[in-house]
Amino acid sequence: MTMTKDTKLATETATQFTAEQVDVEQIDSDNGIDLAAILKPYHRPDDNNIVSGALDEGKVAALALAGVEVVINLQPDSELDFDEATAVKQAGMQYEQLPIAGADDLKQINMLAFDSLLRQYHGKKIAMHCKSGSRVGAAMALRAGWLRGRKMETAMERGHRYGLTEMFEQEVHNRLLVPR
């Protein structure tokens, strides 16, 4: 990968934090990049999954430097400020988009497509995002409840670890009450 202005910015941002300020073990697994300082909001439910809000060119570069292999975008095109697909592919990562514009798109068919993406890239380092991260959390909760048969409490907890906020919390809870 060529060192672009965005790559340099991501590298500089990553190196400006001291060991006392960050989780050194997590940074080590991310090739020295402090993603928590770059991505806002930032959720790291496990080593291979990263959840954040909307990306820009610098954040895409940081994800690539951190060893992310796949970016899954839940934003519709109308919410994007740049050509994210091209930026991600040029940075050497796989790109998938599953537009979930809001609560109306939290349907079983979309959760099946989301599950299919996660299965396709199982074992890969994945960054998932929407504008705030809440739709990712909602999708993870619904996937856990509807497709994995998890109890309400477990599904909601999974959603919260992946970024579910008040914005979709009640909607997800209500949808999980209806058996699929």
Side-chain angles (χ1 to χ4, degrees), residues 21-142:
Q21 295 172 305
V22 296
D23 180 352
V24 175
E25 185 176 313
Q26 191 62 63
I27 290 175
D28 288 345
S29 72
D30 291 334
N31 300 326
I33 306 298
D34 181 10
L35 292 175
I38 297 168
L39 304 174
K40 300 295 178 196
Y42 172 81
H43 301 278
R44 192 65 177 263
D46 58 51
D47 286 341
N48 280 340
N49 289 291
I50 299 160
V51 180
S52 77
L55 301 180
D56 58 28
E57 289 90 347
K59 292 173 183 176
V60 168
L63 289 170
L65 288 171
V68 169
E69 300 168 87
V70 181
V71 173
I72 299 175
N73 173 14
L74 298 187
Q75 291 181 271
D77 287 337
S78 62
E79 290 182 13
L80 300 178
D81 295 330
F82 72 110
D83 186 351
E84 184 174 314
T86 299
V88 168
K89 291 173 186 172
Q90 286 178 342
M93 299 177 285
Q94 297 282 354
Y95 181 77
E96 300 287 348
Q97 183 180 22
L98 177 63
I100 297 179
D104 288 344
D105 290 331
L106 295 174
K107 305 174 194 177
Q108 188 173 23
I109 191 155
N110 287 335
M111 296 312 103
L112 288 167
F114 184 65
D115 180 65
S116 178
L117 288 173
L118 293 179
R119 286 173 175 267
Q120 177 181 347
Y121 296 110
H122 179 75
K124 304 271 188 198
K125 193 170 185 178
I126 301 172
M128 297 174 271
H129 79 90
C130 58
K131 194 169 187 175
S132 70
S134 193
R135 284 174 271 183
V136 174
M140 290 303 287
L142 292 171

Side-chain angles (χ1 to χ4, degrees), residues 159-178:
H160 287 122
R161 281 189 317 156
Y162 279 81
L164 178 63
T165 64
E166 290 178 1
M167 183 184 310
F168 291 108
E169 193 171 39
Q170 190 61 51
E171 183 69 32
V172 168
H173 181 271
N174 291 346
R175 287 175 185 262
L176 287 172
L177 290 173
V178 179

